[in-house]
Amino acid sequence: MNKRVLWIILAILMFMSSIILIVYWLWGNGMFGPVSESSPTTTYEQFTYPSLTDPSVTVTDPAVQTTEPSETTEYVSPIDFEQLQKVNPDIIGWIYMSNPAINLPVLRSPDDDSFYLYHDAAKEYAREGSLFVEHEYNSDDFSDMCTVIYGHRMSNGTMFGTMQAVFSEDGAFDDPQYIVIYLPHSQKIYQICATIPADSRHILYYNDFYSMGQYEEFIDSVYNTEGVEVNLLEDLRPRYGERLLILSSCLWGDRSSRYLVIAKEIGS
């Protein structure tokens, strides 16, 4: 009788453990709904962020300049890269977006492209990892014809956690959406032209963006995409020669697929 009770207890515990694992897997894959924009938390207290309300950070409409920039004016980054690179020389840039609120360093390992999948900007293990580019495919100055920044879609809203939810809202593109990349000696401004779900094929491995034919073939494939998560701004359709920035994260509800935010460079 005692053995029977013990087996029943063990069976119940195993059943409950299985339920917990299934629920955790579903939660981690976003099955319970996309995270809201208000969820992001910061895990980089040791770094100095530019303030989201800093008047020197103007991303509302970077295409509109109230004054002509002077050729003799030396660029001064709002990011203290000298201090950041003392902490970690792999910090090559800083990405700023106002909506969703993304305000984070961009990393590039010189020898291990998978390192920042699960390490933060201080090289400490972190489940959310960092935003990063791959050294095998992208330079450290965003001068390539196409640069891809990878980041996890974290359920707590960190990294690219709120990106898909924000851009899936009605009216998300009623106003222009911009991405600013701060570099040690310059900055780059991109305007978002498309957001799409995609398969997991490696974009930079399968596409040579220096080839006009492959560049245009990729853009055609983007603008032929259909679905509820698709936003295509036809008047901003990239043309060969325009540098691209792609933000890549896991697709909500399907970690084997990707959610891509595609932008083209419009200025500095």
Side-chain angles (χ1 to χ4, degrees):
M1 184 65 178
N2 290 337
K3 287 186 177 180
R4 182 179 179 186
V5 171
L6 178 62
W7 280 111
I8 291 174
I9 293 172
L10 288 174
I12 292 173
L13 289 174
M14 290 179 66
F15 176 77
M16 292 177 64
S17 298
S18 299
I19 293 298
I20 291 171
L21 287 173
I22 292 171
V23 170
Y24 180 79
W25 183 88
L26 291 173
W27 172 77
N29 280 274
M31 295 298 184
F32 298 132
V35 68
S36 66
E37 185 198 354
S38 61
S39 301
T41 57
T42 295
T43 58
Y44 293 101
E45 288 84 358
Q46 68 268 47
F47 296 110
T48 301
Y49 287 83
S51 170
L52 288 172
T53 59
D54 188 336
S56 68
V57 181
T58 54
V59 296
T60 303
D61 192 348
V64 177
Q65 300 289 337
T66 57
T67 59
E68 289 294 326
S70 170
E71 293 183 1
T72 60
T73 301
E74 183 179 356
Y75 171 77
V76 178
S77 175
I79 311 300
D80 188 351
F81 281 103
E82 183 177 357
Q83 184 62 34
L84 290 178
Q85 291 176 347
K86 287 179 182 178
V87 177
N88 185 356
D90 292 351
I91 298 174
I92 62 167
W94 198 283
I95 181 171
Y96 177 92
M97 298 172 68
S98 59
N99 187 37
I102 296 176
N103 195 29
L104 293 167
V106 179
L107 286 293
R108 179 179 180 268
S109 169
D111 50 24
D112 182 0
D113 282 335
S114 65
F115 182 78
Y116 289 108
L117 275 170
Y118 295 106
H119 289 83
D120 64 19
K123 294 190 174 183
E124 300 292 335
Y125 174 81
R127 181 171 173 264
E128 69 271 16
S130 298
L131 304 184
F132 67 94
V133 302
E134 296 176 313
H135 84 284
E136 288 193 13
Y137 297 94
N138 281 135
S139 61
D140 61 2
D141 60 0
F142 287 75
S143 62
D144 299 308
M145 286 301 300
C146 181
T147 299
V148 179
I149 299 178
Y150 300 93
H152 289 302
R153 182 199 54 75
M154 299 301 294
S155 296
N156 66 355
T158 55
M159 300 301 118
F160 287 153
T162 62
M163 194 164 64
Q164 184 176 354
V166 168
F167 292 135
S168 297
E169 293 176 355
D170 292 339
F173 290 92
D174 288 349
D175 296 317
Q177 300 296 329
Y178 299 101
I179 303 169
V180 179
I181 299 293
Y182 294 108
L183 301 169
H185 304 295
S186 64
Q187 70 180 29
K188 294 180 178 291
I189 300 172
Y190 302 83
Q191 186 167 1
I192 297 173
C193 55
T195 64
I196 62 168
D199 58 34
S200 60
R201 282 178 294 182
H202 195 285
I203 295 171
L204 296 176
Y205 179 85
Y206 286 103
N207 299 279
D208 178 5
F209 288 92
Y210 288 92
S211 162
M212 179 183 291
Q214 292 191 40
Y215 184 106
E216 292 179 345
E217 184 178 350
F218 175 81
I219 296 301
D220 286 344
S221 69
V222 168
Y223 276 79
N224 286 331
T225 306
E226 298 179 346
V228 294
E229 300 288 345
V230 175
N231 290 288
L232 304 172
L233 305 180
E234 189 62 45
D235 58 335
L236 294 175
R237 185 185 182 113
R239 295 176 295 179
Y240 177 70
E242 294 180 312
R243 287 185 173 84
L244 304 177
L245 177 67
I246 300 177
L247 311 183
S248 175
S249 68
C250 291
L251 183 69
W252 167 59
D254 182 3
R255 287 196 171 186
S256 65
S257 298
R258 302 290 175 261
Y259 181 75
L260 305 181
V261 173
I262 303 167
K264 66 177 184 179
E265 186 176 349
I266 61 170
S268 59

